[in-house]
Amino acid sequence: MSPWALNRFVRAVSRGAIFGYPTDTVWGLGCHPLIASSVARLLRLKNRGPDKGLILLSSRLEFCLPYIDTKAEQLEPLRQSGDRPTTWLVPASKFCPPWIRGNHPTVAIRIADHPLVDAVCEGLESPLVSTSANRSGRSTVRNSLQMRRQFGDELDFIVGGFSTGGNRPSEIKSLASGSTLRSAS
């Protein structure tokens, strides 16, 4: 993606665009986490209720700090990269919107090492909403062609030119207990 196209994309996301994109795990659907209408539109596309919550995907933990309520020294596991991408359930701050955390006292955070995520988060100075790119009950899309077939003109952008980290979702762990809630295998 050229610098011009990236700037155009980041501006559109900051104004409410929703998009399909490759992440550090699978293809995802995303938007800006503070634009409630964008999140609502994304959830309608997926046929998913708001009670489940969504992942905040970021290039840097610092972008996620307003959404979480825990001591800095407890966040070290989020900074460490492991064998597989890990999504951490972290106590949500009072500033974390209910459309992000759903009906949970926690918010899901994943720090990604992915060039597209890095470029967009840096441009927005914000994490992104991330959820698997599929409608409820259907398989997750695996490339931009499948994205176009499943979502077509319902998305503002489909970002190509980057690879995903694989075909498996992230592992999910609780920061409070360290327990694994979903294995990466």
mmCIF file of all heavy atoms in Angstrom, residues 88-124:
data_model
loop_
_atom_site.group_PDB
_atom_site.id
_atom_site.type_symbol
_atom_site.label_atom_id
_atom_site.label_comp_id
_atom_site.label_asym_id
_atom_site.label_seq_id
_atom_site.Cartn_x
_atom_site.Cartn_y
_atom_site.Cartn_z
ATOM 1 N N TRP A 88 -5.519 -11.325 25.232
ATOM 2 C CA TRP A 88 -5.619 -11.308 26.687
ATOM 3 C C TRP A 88 -6.910 -10.635 27.118
ATOM 4 O O TRP A 88 -7.259 -9.574 26.609
ATOM 5 C CB TRP A 88 -4.436 -10.556 27.291
ATOM 6 C CG TRP A 88 -3.142 -11.272 27.123
ATOM 7 C CD1 TRP A 88 -2.252 -11.140 26.093
ATOM 8 C CD2 TRP A 88 -2.598 -12.245 28.004
ATOM 9 N NE1 TRP A 88 -1.192 -11.978 26.284
ATOM 10 C CE2 TRP A 88 -1.373 -12.674 27.461
ATOM 11 C CE3 TRP A 88 -3.021 -12.805 29.216
ATOM 12 C CZ2 TRP A 88 -0.570 -13.622 28.066
ATOM 13 C CZ3 TRP A 88 -2.226 -13.750 29.826
ATOM 14 C CH2 TRP A 88 -1.012 -14.151 29.254
ATOM 15 N N LEU A 89 -7.600 -11.251 28.074
ATOM 16 C CA LEU A 89 -8.766 -10.633 28.683
ATOM 17 C C LEU A 89 -8.278 -9.859 29.898
ATOM 18 O O LEU A 89 -7.733 -10.428 30.836
ATOM 19 C CB LEU A 89 -9.791 -11.688 29.084
ATOM 20 C CG LEU A 89 -10.315 -12.544 27.932
ATOM 21 C CD1 LEU A 89 -11.338 -13.545 28.441
ATOM 22 C CD2 LEU A 89 -10.903 -11.682 26.823
ATOM 23 N N VAL A 90 -8.467 -8.537 29.847
ATOM 24 C CA VAL A 90 -7.922 -7.610 30.829
ATOM 25 C C VAL A 90 -9.087 -6.824 31.438
ATOM 26 O O VAL A 90 -10.033 -6.473 30.716
ATOM 27 C CB VAL A 90 -6.930 -6.646 30.126
ATOM 28 C CG1 VAL A 90 -6.322 -5.669 31.102
ATOM 29 C CG2 VAL A 90 -5.848 -7.430 29.395
ATOM 30 N N PRO A 91 -9.044 -6.524 32.735
ATOM 31 C CA PRO A 91 -10.123 -5.714 33.307
ATOM 32 C C PRO A 91 -10.331 -4.420 32.506
ATOM 33 O O PRO A 91 -9.383 -3.708 32.198
ATOM 34 C CB PRO A 91 -9.631 -5.412 34.724
ATOM 35 C CG PRO A 91 -8.712 -6.554 35.053
ATOM 36 C CD PRO A 91 -8.032 -6.886 33.748
ATOM 37 N N ALA A 92 -11.590 -4.172 32.167
ATOM 38 C CA ALA A 92 -11.927 -2.992 31.372
ATOM 39 C C ALA A 92 -12.010 -1.752 32.256
ATOM 40 O O ALA A 92 -12.474 -1.818 33.392
ATOM 41 C CB ALA A 92 -13.253 -3.202 30.654
ATOM 42 N N SER A 93 -11.564 -0.627 31.730
ATOM 43 C CA SER A 93 -11.688 0.640 32.452
ATOM 44 C C SER A 93 -13.115 1.161 32.294
ATOM 45 O O SER A 93 -13.878 0.698 31.436
ATOM 46 C CB SER A 93 -10.696 1.673 31.902
ATOM 47 O OG SER A 93 -11.156 2.195 30.671
ATOM 48 N N LYS A 94 -13.443 2.172 33.084
ATOM 49 C CA LYS A 94 -14.769 2.772 32.976
ATOM 50 C C LYS A 94 -14.925 3.528 31.654
ATOM 51 O O LYS A 94 -16.034 3.861 31.250
ATOM 52 C CB LYS A 94 -15.036 3.701 34.159
ATOM 53 C CG LYS A 94 -14.116 4.891 34.243
ATOM 54 C CD LYS A 94 -14.414 5.720 35.465
ATOM 55 C CE LYS A 94 -13.447 6.899 35.554
ATOM 56 N NZ LYS A 94 -13.696 7.691 36.749
ATOM 57 N N PHE A 95 -13.829 3.773 30.955
ATOM 58 C CA PHE A 95 -13.870 4.463 29.670
ATOM 59 C C PHE A 95 -14.024 3.500 28.483
ATOM 60 O O PHE A 95 -14.196 3.949 27.360
ATOM 61 C CB PHE A 95 -12.602 5.308 29.485
ATOM 62 C CG PHE A 95 -12.407 6.303 30.584
ATOM 63 C CD1 PHE A 95 -11.410 6.134 31.516
ATOM 64 C CD2 PHE A 95 -13.246 7.400 30.706
ATOM 65 C CE1 PHE A 95 -11.236 7.048 32.550
ATOM 66 C CE2 PHE A 95 -13.093 8.317 31.733
ATOM 67 C CZ PHE A 95 -12.086 8.139 32.662
ATOM 68 N N CYS A 96 -13.939 2.198 28.743
ATOM 69 C CA CYS A 96 -14.079 1.213 27.663
ATOM 70 C C CYS A 96 -15.550 1.118 27.261
ATOM 71 O O CYS A 96 -16.397 0.770 28.093
ATOM 72 C CB CYS A 96 -13.566 -0.158 28.119
ATOM 73 S SG CYS A 96 -13.593 -1.385 26.800
ATOM 74 N N PRO A 97 -15.864 1.426 26.021
ATOM 75 C CA PRO A 97 -17.268 1.424 25.602
ATOM 76 C C PRO A 97 -17.906 0.037 25.708
ATOM 77 O O PRO A 97 -17.259 -0.975 25.449
ATOM 78 C CB PRO A 97 -17.212 1.863 24.137
ATOM 79 C CG PRO A 97 -15.875 2.466 23.940
ATOM 80 C CD PRO A 97 -14.969 1.817 24.930
ATOM 81 N N PRO A 98 -19.184 -0.009 26.067
ATOM 82 C CA PRO A 98 -19.863 -1.300 26.170
ATOM 83 C C PRO A 98 -19.926 -2.031 24.831
ATOM 84 O O PRO A 98 -19.995 -3.260 24.807
ATOM 85 C CB PRO A 98 -21.257 -0.940 26.684
ATOM 86 C CG PRO A 98 -21.415 0.524 26.443
ATOM 87 C CD PRO A 98 -20.048 1.114 26.418
ATOM 88 N N TRP A 99 -19.888 -1.309 23.706
ATOM 89 C CA TRP A 99 -19.908 -1.994 22.415
ATOM 90 C C TRP A 99 -18.584 -2.700 22.126
ATOM 91 O O TRP A 99 -18.515 -3.515 21.221
ATOM 92 C CB TRP A 99 -20.283 -1.043 21.284
ATOM 93 C CG TRP A 99 -19.405 0.166 21.128
ATOM 94 C CD1 TRP A 99 -18.210 0.240 20.466
ATOM 95 C CD2 TRP A 99 -19.643 1.474 21.646
ATOM 96 N NE1 TRP A 99 -17.697 1.509 20.550
ATOM 97 C CE2 TRP A 99 -18.553 2.290 21.254
ATOM 98 C CE3 TRP A 99 -20.677 2.040 22.387
ATOM 99 C CZ2 TRP A 99 -18.470 3.636 21.591
ATOM 100 C CZ3 TRP A 99 -20.591 3.385 22.713
ATOM 101 C CH2 TRP A 99 -19.501 4.160 22.318
ATOM 102 N N ILE A 100 -17.545 -2.435 22.909
ATOM 103 C CA ILE A 100 -16.280 -3.148 22.769
ATOM 104 C C ILE A 100 -16.225 -4.332 23.736
ATOM 105 O O ILE A 100 -15.905 -5.444 23.358
ATOM 106 C CB ILE A 100 -15.070 -2.213 23.009
ATOM 107 C CG1 ILE A 100 -15.034 -1.097 21.963
ATOM 108 C CG2 ILE A 100 -13.753 -3.000 23.026
ATOM 109 C CD1 ILE A 100 -14.855 -1.582 20.538
ATOM 110 N N ARG A 101 -16.546 -4.121 24.996
ATOM 111 C CA ARG A 101 -16.424 -5.198 25.988
ATOM 112 C C ARG A 101 -17.631 -6.118 26.032
ATOM 113 O O ARG A 101 -17.583 -7.197 26.616
ATOM 114 C CB ARG A 101 -16.103 -4.638 27.361
ATOM 115 C CG ARG A 101 -17.120 -3.730 27.936
ATOM 116 C CD ARG A 101 -16.719 -3.248 29.329
ATOM 117 N NE ARG A 101 -17.464 -2.089 29.721
ATOM 118 C CZ ARG A 101 -18.768 -2.075 30.000
ATOM 119 N NH1 ARG A 101 -19.470 -3.184 29.956
ATOM 120 N NH2 ARG A 101 -19.371 -0.951 30.336
ATOM 121 N N GLY A 102 -18.745 -5.725 25.422
ATOM 122 C CA GLY A 102 -19.947 -6.546 25.478
ATOM 123 C C GLY A 102 -20.466 -6.597 26.904
ATOM 124 O O GLY A 102 -20.395 -5.619 27.640
ATOM 125 N N ASN A 103 -20.949 -7.752 27.322
ATOM 126 C CA ASN A 103 -21.490 -7.930 28.673
ATOM 127 C C ASN A 103 -20.426 -8.443 29.628
ATOM 128 O O ASN A 103 -20.724 -9.236 30.518
ATOM 129 C CB ASN A 103 -22.670 -8.915 28.649
ATOM 130 C CG ASN A 103 -23.873 -8.349 27.940
ATOM 131 O OD1 ASN A 103 -23.986 -7.138 27.766
ATOM 132 N ND2 ASN A 103 -24.768 -9.211 27.520
ATOM 133 N N HIS A 104 -19.195 -8.019 29.467
ATOM 134 C CA HIS A 104 -18.083 -8.544 30.254
ATOM 135 C C HIS A 104 -17.397 -7.425 31.046
ATOM 136 O O HIS A 104 -17.370 -6.284 30.601
ATOM 137 C CB HIS A 104 -17.045 -9.203 29.339
ATOM 138 C CG HIS A 104 -17.633 -10.235 28.442
ATOM 139 N ND1 HIS A 104 -17.981 -11.493 28.874
ATOM 140 C CD2 HIS A 104 -17.958 -10.188 27.126
ATOM 141 C CE1 HIS A 104 -18.489 -12.184 27.862
ATOM 142 N NE2 HIS A 104 -18.491 -11.413 26.784
ATOM 143 N N PRO A 105 -16.801 -7.776 32.176
ATOM 144 C CA PRO A 105 -16.013 -6.791 32.922
ATOM 145 C C PRO A 105 -14.598 -6.645 32.357
ATOM 146 O O PRO A 105 -13.810 -5.866 32.857
ATOM 147 C CB PRO A 105 -15.979 -7.374 34.339
ATOM 148 C CG PRO A 105 -16.054 -8.850 34.130
ATOM 149 C CD PRO A 105 -16.944 -9.037 32.910
ATOM 150 N N THR A 106 -14.297 -7.426 31.332
ATOM 151 C CA THR A 106 -12.969 -7.413 30.727
ATOM 152 C C THR A 106 -13.060 -6.938 29.281
ATOM 153 O O THR A 106 -14.124 -6.932 28.677
ATOM 154 C CB THR A 106 -12.340 -8.825 30.742
ATOM 155 O OG1 THR A 106 -13.226 -9.738 30.063
ATOM 156 C CG2 THR A 106 -12.095 -9.314 32.165
ATOM 157 N N VAL A 107 -11.903 -6.581 28.738
ATOM 158 C CA VAL A 107 -11.779 -6.240 27.332
ATOM 159 C C VAL A 107 -10.685 -7.135 26.754
ATOM 160 O O VAL A 107 -9.699 -7.439 27.425
ATOM 161 C CB VAL A 107 -11.466 -4.734 27.133
ATOM 162 C CG1 VAL A 107 -10.169 -4.331 27.799
ATOM 163 C CG2 VAL A 107 -11.448 -4.361 25.662
ATOM 164 N N ALA A 108 -10.885 -7.592 25.523
ATOM 165 C CA ALA A 108 -9.919 -8.458 24.845
ATOM 166 C C ALA A 108 -8.898 -7.593 24.115
ATOM 167 O O ALA A 108 -9.270 -6.742 23.298
ATOM 168 C CB ALA A 108 -10.637 -9.380 23.866
ATOM 169 N N ILE A 109 -7.615 -7.816 24.418
ATOM 170 C CA ILE A 109 -6.512 -7.026 23.849
ATOM 171 C C ILE A 109 -5.503 -7.973 23.196
ATOM 172 O O ILE A 109 -5.105 -8.965 23.804
ATOM 173 C CB ILE A 109 -5.765 -6.231 24.948
ATOM 174 C CG1 ILE A 109 -6.708 -5.345 25.747
ATOM 175 C CG2 ILE A 109 -4.573 -5.473 24.382
ATOM 176 C CD1 ILE A 109 -7.145 -4.101 25.063
ATOM 177 N N ARG A 110 -5.089 -7.654 21.966
ATOM 178 C CA ARG A 110 -3.987 -8.404 21.346
ATOM 179 C C ARG A 110 -3.021 -7.402 20.734
ATOM 180 O O ARG A 110 -3.424 -6.513 19.986
ATOM 181 C CB ARG A 110 -4.492 -9.376 20.282
ATOM 182 C CG ARG A 110 -3.369 -10.267 19.757
ATOM 183 C CD ARG A 110 -3.849 -11.453 18.939
ATOM 184 N NE ARG A 110 -4.220 -11.093 17.593
ATOM 185 C CZ ARG A 110 -5.450 -11.168 17.088
ATOM 186 N NH1 ARG A 110 -6.449 -11.586 17.818
ATOM 187 N NH2 ARG A 110 -5.690 -10.814 15.837
ATOM 188 N N ILE A 111 -1.762 -7.560 21.090
ATOM 189 C CA ILE A 111 -0.706 -6.733 20.519
ATOM 190 C C ILE A 111 -0.118 -7.521 19.354
ATOM 191 O O ILE A 111 0.369 -8.640 19.538
ATOM 192 C CB ILE A 111 0.373 -6.388 21.573
ATOM 193 C CG1 ILE A 111 -0.277 -5.773 22.825
ATOM 194 C CG2 ILE A 111 1.426 -5.474 20.972
ATOM 195 C CD1 ILE A 111 -1.127 -4.540 22.577
ATOM 196 N N ALA A 112 -0.209 -6.945 18.169
ATOM 197 C CA ALA A 112 0.159 -7.656 16.951
ATOM 198 C C ALA A 112 1.448 -7.135 16.354
ATOM 199 O O ALA A 112 1.706 -5.936 16.359
ATOM 200 C CB ALA A 112 -0.959 -7.522 15.921
ATOM 201 N N ASP A 113 2.202 -8.055 15.817
ATOM 202 C CA ASP A 113 3.384 -7.710 15.036
ATOM 203 C C ASP A 113 3.021 -7.981 13.581
ATOM 204 O O ASP A 113 3.226 -9.076 13.070
ATOM 205 C CB ASP A 113 4.573 -8.560 15.491
ATOM 206 C CG ASP A 113 5.845 -8.216 14.735
ATOM 207 O OD1 ASP A 113 5.893 -7.131 14.111
ATOM 208 O OD2 ASP A 113 6.778 -9.038 14.760
ATOM 209 N N HIS A 114 2.414 -6.980 12.955
ATOM 210 C CA HIS A 114 1.926 -7.124 11.583
ATOM 211 C C HIS A 114 2.048 -5.757 10.910
ATOM 212 O O HIS A 114 1.609 -4.748 11.472
ATOM 213 C CB HIS A 114 0.470 -7.593 11.602
ATOM 214 C CG HIS A 114 -0.058 -7.955 10.261
ATOM 215 N ND1 HIS A 114 -0.623 -7.021 9.424
ATOM 216 C CD2 HIS A 114 -0.100 -9.143 9.611
ATOM 217 C CE1 HIS A 114 -1.004 -7.626 8.311
ATOM 218 N NE2 HIS A 114 -0.690 -8.911 8.395
ATOM 219 N N PRO A 115 2.630 -5.690 9.728
ATOM 220 C CA PRO A 115 2.905 -4.383 9.114
ATOM 221 C C PRO A 115 1.661 -3.532 8.863
ATOM 222 O O PRO A 115 1.708 -2.307 9.054
ATOM 223 C CB PRO A 115 3.624 -4.726 7.813
ATOM 224 C CG PRO A 115 3.384 -6.180 7.583
ATOM 225 C CD PRO A 115 3.109 -6.802 8.904
ATOM 226 N N LEU A 116 0.556 -4.120 8.448
ATOM 227 C CA LEU A 116 -0.655 -3.329 8.210
ATOM 228 C C LEU A 116 -1.219 -2.805 9.523
ATOM 229 O O LEU A 116 -1.550 -1.626 9.645
ATOM 230 C CB LEU A 116 -1.711 -4.166 7.479
ATOM 231 C CG LEU A 116 -3.055 -3.471 7.293
ATOM 232 C CD1 LEU A 116 -2.908 -2.230 6.413
ATOM 233 C CD2 LEU A 116 -4.072 -4.441 6.718
ATOM 234 N N VAL A 117 -1.325 -3.671 10.524
ATOM 235 C CA VAL A 117 -1.836 -3.256 11.831
ATOM 236 C C VAL A 117 -0.955 -2.142 12.390
ATOM 237 O O VAL A 117 -1.458 -1.139 12.907
ATOM 238 C CB VAL A 117 -1.915 -4.464 12.797
ATOM 239 C CG1 VAL A 117 -2.274 -4.020 14.208
ATOM 240 C CG2 VAL A 117 -2.915 -5.498 12.276
ATOM 241 N N ASP A 118 0.343 -2.300 12.263
ATOM 242 C CA ASP A 118 1.276 -1.291 12.756
ATOM 243 C C ASP A 118 1.031 0.056 12.066
ATOM 244 O O ASP A 118 0.895 1.085 12.730
ATOM 245 C CB ASP A 118 2.712 -1.764 12.536
ATOM 246 C CG ASP A 118 3.731 -0.788 13.091
ATOM 247 O OD1 ASP A 118 3.615 -0.426 14.277
ATOM 248 O OD2 ASP A 118 4.634 -0.388 12.335
ATOM 249 N N ALA A 119 0.950 0.049 10.762
ATOM 250 C CA ALA A 119 0.792 1.300 10.011
ATOM 251 C C ALA A 119 -0.532 1.994 10.343
ATOM 252 O O ALA A 119 -0.566 3.213 10.539
ATOM 253 C CB ALA A 119 0.887 1.022 8.513
ATOM 254 N N VAL A 120 -1.612 1.232 10.426
ATOM 255 C CA VAL A 120 -2.916 1.839 10.672
ATOM 256 C C VAL A 120 -3.023 2.335 12.113
ATOM 257 O O VAL A 120 -3.477 3.450 12.363
ATOM 258 C CB VAL A 120 -4.065 0.869 10.317
ATOM 259 C CG1 VAL A 120 -5.414 1.479 10.642
ATOM 260 C CG2 VAL A 120 -3.990 0.488 8.846
ATOM 261 N N CYS A 121 -2.599 1.529 13.064
ATOM 262 C CA CYS A 121 -2.656 1.956 14.472
ATOM 263 C C CYS A 121 -1.787 3.187 14.707
ATOM 264 O O CYS A 121 -2.189 4.103 15.433
ATOM 265 C CB CYS A 121 -2.229 0.825 15.399
ATOM 266 S SG CYS A 121 -3.425 -0.520 15.500
ATOM 267 N N GLU A 122 -0.614 3.214 14.106
ATOM 268 C CA GLU A 122 0.252 4.380 14.256
ATOM 269 C C GLU A 122 -0.401 5.618 13.651
ATOM 270 O O GLU A 122 -0.337 6.701 14.215
ATOM 271 C CB GLU A 122 1.617 4.125 13.618
ATOM 272 C CG GLU A 122 2.448 3.074 14.332
ATOM 273 C CD GLU A 122 2.862 3.441 15.741
ATOM 274 O OE1 GLU A 122 3.161 4.633 15.997
ATOM 275 O OE2 GLU A 122 2.876 2.539 16.593
ATOM 276 N N GLY A 123 -1.035 5.451 12.501
ATOM 277 C CA GLY A 123 -1.713 6.583 11.863
ATOM 278 C C GLY A 123 -2.895 7.086 12.670
ATOM 279 O O GLY A 123 -3.139 8.288 12.759
ATOM 280 N N LEU A 124 -3.635 6.187 13.272
ATOM 281 C CA LEU A 124 -4.805 6.553 14.077
ATOM 282 C C LEU A 124 -4.442 6.927 15.508
ATOM 283 O O LEU A 124 -5.241 7.563 16.191
ATOM 284 C CB LEU A 124 -5.795 5.380 14.137
ATOM 285 C CG LEU A 124 -6.533 4.993 12.869
ATOM 286 C CD1 LEU A 124 -7.290 3.693 13.087
ATOM 287 C CD2 LEU A 124 -7.473 6.101 12.435
#
